[in-house]
Amino acid sequence: MSKYDGPVSDHFDGKQFFDPDGVPPKSLGEVLRWQFGRDRQRQAWPAWAPSPHADTPPSRVDGGKVRLSFVGHVSWLIQTSGLNILVDPVWSERASPVSFAGPKRRNHPGIAFEALPPIDVALVSHGHYDHLDLETLSKLSASHAPRVITPLGNDVAMRRADAAIKAEAFDWHDRVELGSGIAVTLVPTRHWTARGLFDRNRSLWASFVLETPAGKIYIVCDSGYGEGTHFRKVAEKHGPLRLAILPIGAYEPRWFMKDQHMNPADAVKALADCGAEQALAHHHGTFQLTDEAIDAPVRDLHAALDEAELPREKFVALKPGQVFEV
């Protein structure tokens, strides 16, 4: 259980964090209704859905290019200006507090852990187990010793697990210099967090705006859409954006998920709101967290792009091991 102890703010009441533009997470009763309701329609995923791709990244990428390798789910390796950055690194077999139960991987990471180049920085968006993987962070700490940039309170869980994890905690709107002219700003996102039964919203959650030589990259690891407020505010404060990485999965049933997770149609609206030139999709196809089919997010993304009369090349869904460059 993680717990932040700090001053009251416009999104922290002294005990819990909250989103002034969002809504609270669902109650336990609503969770039970979703999980055990008679009308639940959970689609079966294949036991194994391997990607045909695997990446062996270079040691460094210099100059003005940005190389993005999709590891799977929400995990990325971003290489630019000689700096290697991981986003929400998860190499574990399960997104769960225990090793014997919980959502299990349906494909290998797109980069084998042993094939990783030297890792300088890890960005960890919030405390849910499919984003904050303590086992992976500990392995990274032992083999690469990266800086770990995370929202307030998540550093507590990291240090309790492994004092060697170099966790640095920041608030919304904090800008952090990463070196080589690269910086990241933590920005509000419509979500929540917990790691146990008694620490709901005791730590903060965030999206990231990464400044690179090729332009700014808006990395949204988890978010509901709401009225699109957060996406428009990022456009106003941080635009223009070269690239947005947006979640398209974990969205059914809508009555339960819509406040915290976007569906593909929401993600297409979020792309329009933030004004990014290009988008990449993630948060799909690796861990079954909700009720839609494994291929539904990509299929629904294509339908939403067609409905919006946007080319499918503008919002691309990679498979683990595939690479995109800007």
Side-chain angles (χ1 to χ4, degrees):
M1 184 174 70
S2 61
K3 179 181 178 182
Y4 169 73
D5 183 16
V8 171
S9 72
D10 64 354
H11 54 279
F12 181 65
D13 63 10
K15 182 178 179 181
Q16 291 181 307
F17 290 94
F18 60 94
D19 179 0
D21 293 312
V23 295
K26 298 296 185 184
S27 67
L28 177 59
E30 290 169 312
V31 173
L32 294 174
R33 175 189 159 195
W34 165 41
Q35 290 290 315
F36 302 108
R38 293 181 181 179
D39 58 347
R40 186 178 186 188
Q41 297 181 345
R42 188 174 191 264
Q43 302 301 305
W45 280 31
W48 191 244
S51 170
H53 308 279
D55 183 32
T56 301
S59 178
R60 302 282 179 183
V61 172
D62 295 315
K65 287 197 315 180
V66 180
R67 185 183 193 272
L68 300 103
S69 179
F70 186 42
V71 177
H73 191 55
V74 193
S75 302
W76 295 84
L77 170 65
I78 302 177
Q79 297 179 280
T80 185
S81 296
L83 206 66
N84 294 330
I85 302 166
L86 287 176
V87 178
D88 280 359
V90 178
W91 264 259
S92 291
E93 283 299 303
R94 294 187 185 271
S96 171
V98 295
S99 62
F100 54 86
K104 191 174 183 180
R105 298 193 81 95
R106 305 305 170 98
N107 38 60
H108 291 304
I111 306 171
F113 190 87
E114 296 73 20
L116 282 170
I119 301 301
D120 304 296
V121 177
L123 307 177
V124 178
S125 64
H126 66 291
H128 285 149
Y129 286 89
D130 57 319
H131 298 260
L132 197 171
D133 179 9
L134 291 170
E135 180 181 351
T136 295
L137 290 175
S138 188
K139 286 179 66 177
L140 285 168
S141 178
S143 54
H144 299 268
R147 296 175 67 186
V148 180
I149 307 300
T150 193
L152 297 173
N154 296 288
D155 57 318
V156 178
M158 295 177 193
R159 281 194 291 268
R160 283 180 178 173
D162 185 346
I165 297 173
K166 296 165 62 176
E168 304 175 34
F170 297 93
D171 203 351
W172 286 346
H173 308 298
D174 285 346
R175 182 177 180 272
V176 186
E177 296 279 356
L178 303 180
S180 301
I182 309 300
V184 66
T185 300
L186 286 73
V187 295
T189 199
R190 188 184 179 95
H191 202 53
W192 67 287
T193 194
R195 290 187 70 78
L197 295 176
F198 306 107
D199 64 343
R200 180 173 285 195
N201 290 354
R202 290 294 190 95
S203 57
L204 187 59
W205 54 95
S207 293
F208 303 104
V209 176
L210 185 67
E211 300 169 31
T212 81
K216 293 180 180 179
I217 301 175
Y218 180 28
I219 307 168
V220 182
C221 297
D222 249 344
S223 183
Y225 179 74
E227 302 300 323
T229 303
H230 288 315
F231 305 104
R232 290 191 293 273
K233 285 183 177 179
V234 165
E236 293 166 5
K237 294 182 180 181
H238 299 281
L241 303 172
R242 176 64 184 85
L243 177 69
I245 303 177
L246 300 170
I248 63 165
Y251 55 86
E252 291 290 351
R254 292 309 289 150
W255 72 266
F256 188 88
M257 292 294 166
K258 67 178 181 178
D259 292 324
Q260 314 298 339
H261 285 167
M262 294 191 289
N263 65 13
D266 290 336
V268 170
K269 290 190 291 185
L271 173 57
D273 289 337
C274 74
E277 295 177 31
Q278 171 74 44
L280 297 177
H282 67 175
H283 209 287
H284 66 97
T286 294
F287 296 109
Q288 185 175 17
L289 304 173
T290 52
D291 291 355
E292 73 274 5
I294 191 171
D295 59 347
V298 175
R299 185 177 66 241
D300 290 352
L301 174 62
H302 290 165
L305 289 167
D306 294 346
E307 177 69 21
E309 299 183 344
L310 292 173
R312 294 182 179 182
E313 295 77 16
K314 188 175 177 67
F315 197 156
V316 177
L318 304 180
K319 291 183 178 294
Q322 286 188 292
V323 173
F324 192 91
E325 292 187 353
V326 295

